Coordinates of all heavy atoms in Angstrom, one line a residue:
P1 N 0.8 -1.2 0.0 CA 0.0 0.0 0.0 C 0.8 1.3 0.0 O 0.5 2.3 -0.6 CB -0.8 -0.1 1.3 CG -0.9 -1.6 1.6 CD 0.4 -2.1 1.1
R2 N 2.0 1.3 0.7 CA 2.8 2.5 0.7 C 3.3 2.8 -0.7 O 3.3 4.0 -1.1 CB 3.9 2.4 1.7 CG 3.5 2.3 3.2 CD 4.6 2.7 4.1 NE 4.2 2.6 5.5 CZ 4.9 3.0 6.5 NH1 6.0 3.6 6.3 NH2 4.4 2.9 7.8
L3 N 3.8 1.8 -1.4 CA 4.3 2.0 -2.7 C 3.2 2.4 -3.7 O 3.4 3.3 -4.5 CB 5.0 0.7 -3.2 CG 6.2 0.2 -2.4 CD1 6.8 -1.1 -3.1 CD2 7.3 1.3 -2.4
A4 N 2.0 1.9 -3.5 CA 0.9 2.3 -4.3 C 0.6 3.7 -4.1 O 0.2 4.5 -5.0 CB -0.3 1.4 -4.0
A5 N 0.6 4.2 -2.8 CA 0.3 5.6 -2.5 C 1.3 6.5 -3.2 O 0.9 7.6 -3.7 CB 0.3 5.8 -1.0
I6 N 2.6 6.2 -3.1 CA 3.6 7.0 -3.7 C 3.4 7.1 -5.2 O 3.5 8.1 -5.8 CB 5.0 6.5 -3.3 CG1 5.2 6.5 -1.8 CG2 6.1 7.3 -4.0 CD1 6.5 5.8 -1.3
L7 N 3.1 5.9 -5.8 CA 3.0 5.8 -7.2 C 1.9 6.6 -7.8 O 1.9 7.1 -8.9 CB 2.8 4.3 -7.6 CG 3.1 3.9 -9.0 CD1 4.6 4.1 -9.4 CD2 2.8 2.4 -9.2
G8 N 0.8 6.8 -6.9 CA -0.4 7.5 -7.4 C -0.4 8.9 -7.2 O -1.4 9.6 -7.4
S9 N 0.7 9.5 -6.6 CA 0.7 10.9 -6.3 C 1.7 11.7 -7.1 O 2.8 11.2 -7.4 CB 1.0 11.1 -4.8 OG 1.1 12.5 -4.5
R10 N 1.4 12.9 -7.5 CA 2.4 13.8 -8.2 C 3.2 14.5 -7.2 O 4.2 15.2 -7.6 CB 1.7 14.8 -9.1 CG 0.9 14.2 -10.3 CD 1.8 13.5 -11.3 NE 2.8 14.4 -11.9 CZ 2.6 14.9 -13.1 NH1 1.6 14.6 -13.8 NH2 3.5 15.8 -13.6
R11 N 2.9 14.5 -5.9 CA 3.6 15.2 -4.8 C 4.3 14.2 -3.9 O 3.9 13.0 -3.9 CB 2.6 16.0 -4.0 CG 1.8 17.0 -4.8 CD 2.5 18.3 -5.0 NE 2.8 19.0 -3.8 CZ 3.5 20.1 -3.7 NH1 4.1 20.6 -4.8 NH2 3.8 20.7 -2.6
P12 N 5.4 14.5 -3.3 CA 6.1 13.6 -2.4 C 5.1 13.2 -1.3 O 4.2 13.9 -0.8 CB 7.2 14.5 -1.8 CG 7.5 15.5 -2.8 CD 6.1 15.8 -3.4
I13 N 5.2 11.9 -0.8 CA 4.4 11.4 0.2 C 5.2 11.1 1.4 O 6.3 10.4 1.3 CB 3.7 10.1 -0.3 CG1 2.8 10.3 -1.4 CG2 2.9 9.4 0.9 CD1 1.5 11.1 -1.1
R14 N 4.8 11.5 2.6 CA 5.5 11.2 3.9 C 4.5 10.4 4.8 O 3.3 10.7 4.9 CB 5.8 12.5 4.6 CG 6.7 13.5 3.9 CD 6.8 14.8 4.5 NE 7.5 15.8 3.7 CZ 8.8 16.2 3.9 NH1 9.5 15.6 4.9 NH2 9.4 17.1 3.1
F15 N 5.1 9.4 5.4 CA 4.3 8.5 6.3 C 4.7 8.7 7.7 O 5.9 8.7 8.0 CB 4.5 7.0 5.9 CG 4.1 6.7 4.5 CD1 5.0 6.7 3.4 CD2 2.8 6.3 4.2 CE1 4.6 6.4 2.1 CE2 2.4 6.1 2.9 CZ 3.3 6.1 1.9
A16 N 3.7 8.9 8.6 CA 4.0 9.1 10.0 C 4.6 7.8 10.6 O 4.4 6.7 10.1 CB 2.7 9.5 10.7
A17 N 5.3 8.0 11.7 CA 5.9 6.8 12.4 C 4.9 5.8 12.8 O 5.2 4.6 12.8 CB 6.7 7.3 13.6
D18 N 3.6 6.2 13.1 CA 2.6 5.3 13.6 C 1.7 4.9 12.5 O 0.5 4.4 12.7 CB 1.9 5.9 14.8 CG 1.2 7.2 14.5 OD1 1.5 7.7 13.3 OD2 0.5 7.7 15.3
D19 N 2.0 5.2 11.2 CA 1.2 4.9 10.1 C 0.9 3.4 10.1 O 1.8 2.6 10.1 CB 1.8 5.3 8.8 CG 0.8 5.3 7.6 OD1 0.3 4.3 7.3 OD2 0.6 6.4 7.1
P20 N -0.4 3.0 10.0 CA -0.7 1.5 10.0 C -0.3 0.8 8.8 O -0.3 -0.4 8.8 CB -2.2 1.6 10.2 CG -2.7 2.8 9.6 CD -1.6 3.8 9.9
L21 N -0.1 1.5 7.6 CA 0.3 0.8 6.4 C 1.7 0.1 6.6 O 2.6 0.7 7.0 CB 0.3 1.7 5.2 CG -1.0 2.4 4.8 CD1 -0.8 3.4 3.7 CD2 -2.0 1.3 4.5
P22 N 1.8 -1.2 6.2 CA 3.0 -1.9 6.4 C 4.2 -1.3 5.5 O 3.9 -1.0 4.3 CB 2.7 -3.3 6.0 CG 1.5 -3.2 5.1 CD 0.7 -2.0 5.6
D23 N 5.4 -1.3 6.0 CA 6.5 -0.8 5.2 C 7.0 -2.0 4.4 O 7.2 -3.1 4.9 CB 7.6 -0.3 6.1 CG 8.7 0.4 5.3 OD1 9.5 -0.4 4.8 OD2 8.7 1.6 5.3
P24 N 7.2 -1.8 3.1 CA 7.6 -2.9 2.2 C 9.0 -3.5 2.5 O 9.3 -4.6 2.1 CB 7.6 -2.3 0.8 CG 7.8 -0.8 1.1 CD 7.1 -0.5 2.4
F25 N 9.8 -2.8 3.4 CA 11.1 -3.3 3.6 C 11.3 -3.8 5.0 O 12.4 -4.2 5.4 CB 12.1 -2.1 3.4 CG 12.0 -1.5 2.0 CD1 11.8 -0.1 1.9 CD2 12.0 -2.3 0.9 CE1 11.6 0.5 0.6 CE2 11.8 -1.7 -0.4 CZ 11.6 -0.3 -0.5
D26 N 10.3 -3.9 5.8 CA 10.4 -4.5 7.1 C 11.0 -5.9 7.1 O 11.9 -6.2 8.0 CB 9.0 -4.5 7.8 CG 8.6 -3.2 8.4 OD1 9.5 -2.3 8.5 OD2 7.4 -3.0 8.9

């Protein structure tokens, strides 16, 4: 989901430390 969110935006995307979306590199 995080990669999908970045891919769908023309602006930079920042994720909060407590963002529930899983990080693809965990």
Side-chain angles (χ1 to χ4, degrees):
R2 292 198 182 192
L3 297 181
I6 298 171
L7 200 61
S9 174
R10 295 295 298 259
R11 304 277 295 174
I13 298 291
R14 300 169 188 258
F15 299 95
D18 57 354
D19 194 297
L21 296 178
D23 189 281
F25 308 125
D26 276 350

